[in-house]
Amino acid sequence: MADALRLLAATGIHKGDREYQQDQVALLVHPRHKGCVLAVVADGMGGRSGGRKASDQVMLTARQLFERYSPITDDADILLKNLVAESHLVIRLTAMAAEQEPHSTLAAFLINPGGDCHWVHSGDSRIYHFRGGQLAFRTKDHSYVQALVDRGELTEDQAQVHPRSNILVGCLGTESEPPAALHTIQRLQPGDVLMVCSDGVWHYFTPAELASVLEALTPREASEFLITKARSRACGGGDNLSLAVVKVDGVPAP
């Protein structure tokens, strides 16, 4: 019999050096299916109230869809694509009603009881998968500088400090349809670590630094450390910060 998986998890959020908080983060445990978890980060944009309204709509939509989801009968990728599409639609309707321009990123991963993991993201909030203390995979930003990296005009290190790194080419709430990039991990393994976070966190760390911190610390300790260190490195000019960390632990089968 294969070993079962135990999930250790934590979230963290801080307004950083901004006057108000537009990030939202949630780690949802399914009310009916043990071992089914959804982690979501939304980074709202569009003024004090507009950005928060956008990220609130993402979280509300995530909760509603996840409560209706069944890992036995439903397709996880369809759920995640619907999360992007429905959040985008509600944000657009909010914009028309409020005469604002709310936008939001979205990054979410769903873990099923069987150990398979499914991702979706739109914008520059990221999901990282670490295995054996090394980066196994991460999302690719829907941003101007990522397009330059893809064309070979910038290196990853140069993109990290580029002055236009905050310019997005795709997110929720725009006039065009948002991207919805999917990824699947067929089976999580003991020792795997997943992290979803806004750019206020990842902007200040290399993948190697993140891997080291997440390998050495518990999810709660890692969340607190990364927020504190990111705030220090921002030198008083940091963005909102939000993250969720899930660490996979093996439980020997009887």
Side-chain angles (χ1 to χ4, degrees):
M1 181 184 293
D3 288 354
L5 298 178
R6 180 175 61 177
L7 304 179
L8 310 175
T11 62
I13 190 166
H14 197 285
K15 72 175 184 178
D17 298 299
R18 297 295 175 88
E19 295 182 4
Y20 40 84
Q21 177 63 265
Q22 294 182 307
D23 278 10
Q24 288 273 53
V25 59
L27 190 61
L28 307 176
V29 177
H30 202 285
R32 298 181 307 279
H33 298 279
K34 184 177 180 180
C36 189
V37 174
L38 178 67
V40 187
V41 160
D43 181 354
M45 298 160 280
R48 177 173 189 147
S49 60
R52 184 54 185 260
K53 284 179 181 177
S55 59
D56 282 347
Q57 294 296 347
V58 172
M59 293 300 156
L60 179 61
T61 304
R63 286 184 169 87
Q64 291 173 340
L65 293 178
F66 189 53
E67 286 177 1
R68 299 198 298 265
Y69 172 73
S70 169
I72 300 171
T73 59
D74 297 337
D75 186 296
D77 288 347
I78 291 177
L79 167 72
L80 294 174
K81 286 191 287 187
N82 286 342
L83 173 56
V84 172
E86 294 189 22
S87 298
H88 172 70
L89 177 60
V90 175
I91 292 170
R92 291 288 295 157
L93 293 173
T94 300
M96 289 187 285
E99 296 184 352
Q100 296 173 323
E101 293 188 5
H103 301 93
S104 182
T105 69
L106 188 160
F109 63 80
L110 170 70
I111 301 174
N112 277 324
D116 52 307
C117 179
H118 305 263
W119 302 1
V120 71
H121 87 285
S122 185
D124 66 350
S125 292
R126 289 184 180 178
I127 307 172
Y128 292 84
H129 174 209
F130 297 96
R131 175 168 287 173
Q134 302 289 327
L135 177 65
F137 195 82
R138 77 159 173 87
T139 52
K140 184 180 288 189
D141 305 331
H142 300 117
S143 67
Y144 170 73
V145 295
Q146 183 63 59
L148 297 180
V149 172
D150 292 342
R151 294 201 299 264
E153 298 178 24
L154 284 180
T155 66
E156 291 282 357
D157 290 341
Q158 290 170 333
Q160 195 86 355
V161 295
H162 195 281
R164 301 177 72 182
S165 61
N166 63 334
I167 297 178
L168 301 183
V169 296
C171 65
L172 309 184
T174 61
E175 292 185 6
S176 57
E177 289 298 309
L182 299 170
H183 176 70
T184 299
I185 304 169
Q186 295 299 330
R187 170 72 179 178
L188 292 169
Q189 300 178 10
D192 281 3
V193 184
L194 296 166
M195 183 178 77
V196 57
C197 63
S198 62
D199 64 327
V201 175
W202 65 252
H203 183 77
Y204 297 101
F205 301 98
T206 67
E209 287 177 321
L210 292 174
S212 177
V213 170
L214 295 170
E215 179 78 5
L217 302 179
T218 67
R220 171 56 56 202
E221 292 168 341
S223 299
E224 294 173 353
F225 177 86
L226 291 173
I227 286 178
T228 300
K229 181 62 71 173
R231 294 207 64 218
S232 173
R233 292 181 174 181
C235 299
D239 199 354
N240 297 158
L241 309 96
S242 57
L243 74 162
V245 177
V246 173
K247 206 164 192 175
V248 183
D249 191 16
V251 180

